[in-house]
Amino acid sequence: MMNLKEMFQLSDRGASDLKKGIFACTLTNLSLMLSVVVTVQIFLEILKPLTGEDVSWNKMWMLFGAGVIAVVLHFFCCKNDYRKTYVSCYTAAEDSRIRIAELVRKFPMSVFNDKDLTELTTNMMGDCASIEHSLSHIVPPLMANAISCTLICICVMIFDWRMGLSIFCTLPLSFLIIFGSRKIQERGSRKQTEAKLKASEEEQEYLDGIRIIKSCHLDGEKFSQLNDALKVLKKQSIHMELGTSVFISAAQFVLQAGIGITVYVGVHLLTGGSITILPLLLSLVIVCRMYGPILTILTLLPMLFHTLVSTRRMRDLAGIPIMEGRTDVPFPDYTITFDHVDFAYNKEPVLKDVNTVIPEGRITALVGPSGSGKSTMSRLIARFWDVERGTVAIGGVDVKTLDPEYLMGMMSFAFQDVTLFGDTVWNNIKIGNPNATDEQVLAAAESACCNEFVKRLPDGYQTLLGENGSTLSGGERQRISIARALLKDAPVILLDEATASLDPENEVLIQSAISHLIQGKTVLVIAHRLRTIADADQILVLDNGEIIETGTHEQLMAQDGLYRRLYQIQAKSLEWAV
């Protein structure tokens, strides 16, 4: 049977804290039984005149003192319960979120092709929140109530087995109703989760595309899709809640029939002289006290079944293989080699038997039509994906044998798709090298021509950027990306359309800065504007996933091939005007 640690994807500390929380909740429940014992004793003392005896007020005062002690003890148990349950569970939830973030960071990029971003976000936030709620509000009280009820049931059976049977005779049938309907409840929970994911996807798409929706008057069409998804979510949520409530209500109705049975059996035994007033009173107090926790169990079990849907998703996520490798492999040099490399996205071939050498300390440019595999080659070097056949090596070391983070330490990137964080301009640049000095950050920013637009910002380099730098232009965002690459100063540099969004003046300045950066380093440049890579030491021309031409600009222009045709087309396009 799966233990709690595996079920809820907990760390060792989280599993230990959960057990402590269950124990603390059990102590809290048992501490309440002290007040039950005191209450029964008070009743017995008050009823003494019925048997011709006098009430002992000294004993009453002692019982009153015992009641006060029981209340104080229960208070401290509740305090300990809160600390062991809620505080520790939120700590465990924090660990889970961090662990998932660390896990996602090590996933191969193929995972992000197969999984929607909304699904991963739901894993990190929604599923973790669901498990967090279970660890704080469901599992500890559920387990504690089960333990305390079992102990009390045993004690009652020892005290008087007939009254014990009358109290708990309806319990098996109640649990049979809950467990018998588990598959129905889980099916409803699964459908609700799927509807929630679909609604989240529609919300994300609607917000991401709001500019296009407004500009193309798609608000009615796109909003109707979102509205339909939300209606389905509402419908599935109602079905789940209603279906669960029916079974819970039926189980509670059956359980509470035990109160009438207990009264009937107790009175029958009392009038028959089989028991005295003490067992009867004790049984009546226990049945009123015990059914509360049992009713709670019947309510919490379906909630636990619902949470298990989230825990299964978490286990599936944790079961995805991560990219691992060595971190102690020295690089004799930084020459990059492609040896008979094949690669495909979702079984669609992108690279076919690619063989080439990108020499150390030289500039190699990749050119070709869109979709020819240029960006894919750069991402295979960085091990965003693993090749299906062949080898990508740096200094003779297969990148598949290296830890991705170790490999990333050797590279600087400036991609066409720039990602900025909701932080200051300064921190977005310093991501390139967290240990850099202020002077180094400023030097990188100046070389990337950032000073010009940063001076116009309200707080300069301390200005907070919007989501993904939404407050900046495309060229400004790209200059920050280039500043990162300059600051990192790694031996291998991958530039993917790094100057695509820059105006001609800044493009010249950036190229000048990059020319200083790449001295003695291995550089791979991807560019559609062929004039920007005319001085490259080597140009690789890709078409349909294959390298069809190799040489310098002069050598390729001397051939009547694809490179020459592309260059001539671009030259003619510069003459075009409105």
Side-chain angles (χ1 to χ4, degrees), residues 74 100 108 129 139 166 184 248 359 431 461 478 483 505:
H74 181 65
I100 292 175
V139 177
S166 65
I184 299 175
I248 291 176
I431 288 172
Y461 283 98
Q478 204 153 39
E505 180 183 356

Side-chain angles (χ1 to χ4, degrees), residues 128-184:
C128 277
S130 178
I131 293 174
E132 178 182 79
H133 178 76
S134 293
L135 295 178
S136 60
H137 293 82
I138 298 177
V139 177
L142 177 64
M143 299 293 290
N145 286 343
I147 293 171
S148 57
C149 288
T150 301
L151 293 175
I152 294 170
C153 178
I154 293 172
C155 293
V156 172
M157 295 293 286
I158 292 173
F159 188 75
D160 192 302
W161 64 270
R162 295 164 299 182
M163 294 304 299
L165 284 178
S166 65
I167 293 173
F168 298 106
C169 64
T170 57
L171 187 59
L173 183 57
S174 299
F175 279 104
L176 182 62
I177 293 173
I178 296 296
F179 282 100
S181 61
R182 178 176 177 178
K183 289 186 177 180
I184 299 175

Side-chain angles (χ1 to χ4, degrees), residues 50-312:
L50 296 177
T51 59
E53 299 180 62
D54 295 329
V55 175
S56 173
W57 292 106
N58 289 333
K59 186 176 181 180
M60 289 289 285
W61 281 110
M62 291 175 61
L63 291 172
F64 176 77
V68 172
I69 293 173
V71 170
V72 172
L73 182 61
H74 181 65
F75 169 79
F76 283 107
C77 286
C78 288
K79 184 177 179 180
N80 180 62
D81 181 351
Y82 183 88
R83 186 174 65 254
K84 297 294 186 184
T85 301
Y86 293 95
V87 176
S88 61
C89 91
Y90 294 140
T91 302
E94 177 189 15
D95 292 342
S96 295
R97 286 189 173 93
I98 293 174
R99 190 167 63 253
I100 292 175
E102 288 290 320
L103 192 65
V104 169
R105 186 166 54 86
K106 297 179 180 179
F107 283 160
M109 294 301 294
S110 58
V111 173
F112 301 97
N113 289 341
D114 298 334
K115 284 183 174 289
D116 189 88
L117 180 61
T118 305
E119 185 175 356
L120 291 172
T121 304
T122 302
N123 279 134
M124 294 182 69
M125 301 305 296
D127 291 342
C128 277
S130 178
I131 293 174
E132 178 182 79
H133 178 76
S134 293
L135 295 178
S136 60
H137 293 82
I138 298 177
V139 177
L142 177 64
M143 299 293 290
N145 286 343
I147 293 171
S148 57
C149 288
T150 301
L151 293 175
I152 294 170
C153 178
I154 293 172
C155 293
V156 172
M157 295 293 286
I158 292 173
F159 188 75
D160 192 302
W161 64 270
R162 295 164 299 182
M163 294 304 299
L165 284 178
S166 65
I167 293 173
F168 298 106
C169 64
T170 57
L171 187 59
L173 183 57
S174 299
F175 279 104
L176 182 62
I177 293 173
I178 296 296
F179 282 100
S181 61
R182 178 176 177 178
K183 289 186 177 180
I184 299 175
Q185 295 178 54
E186 288 185 342
R187 185 162 59 246
S189 297
R190 189 165 54 251
K191 289 183 178 180
Q192 188 213 26
T193 301
E194 292 170 356
K196 191 181 294 183
L197 278 174
K198 180 62 177 176
S200 297
E201 290 174 9
E202 292 294 341
E203 288 173 355
Q204 187 71 36
E205 184 181 76
Y206 188 80
L207 293 173
D208 288 343
I210 193 67
R211 294 180 183 176
I212 304 299
I213 291 170
K214 284 180 174 291
S215 63
C216 298
H217 299 287
L218 298 175
D219 50 314
E221 176 186 343
K222 285 296 180 182
F223 184 76
S224 65
Q225 295 178 12
L226 173 60
N227 190 47
D228 291 343
L230 293 173
K231 284 182 177 179
V232 171
L233 175 59
K234 172 186 172 184
K235 178 182 176 182
Q236 293 299 338
S237 297
I238 292 174
H239 284 177
M240 188 203 72
E241 295 289 346
L242 181 61
T244 301
S245 299
V246 167
F247 293 113
I248 291 176
S249 299
Q252 291 178 343
F253 177 80
V254 171
L255 176 68
Q256 290 178 324
I259 296 176
I261 294 173
T262 302
V263 172
Y264 174 79
V265 172
V267 171
H268 179 74
L269 292 175
L270 180 64
T271 55
S274 298
I275 61 172
T276 60
I277 190 67
L278 176 60
L280 177 59
L281 283 175
L282 186 61
S283 299
L284 293 177
V285 172
I286 287 176
V287 76
C288 294
R289 171 66 189 89
M290 281 297 300
Y291 278 10
I294 296 175
L295 289 172
T296 301
I297 293 175
L298 296 176
T299 304
L300 293 178
L301 275 174
M303 296 172 66
L304 180 62
F305 297 157
H306 177 68
T307 303
L308 292 180
V309 175
S310 297
T311 61
R312 288 195 195 98

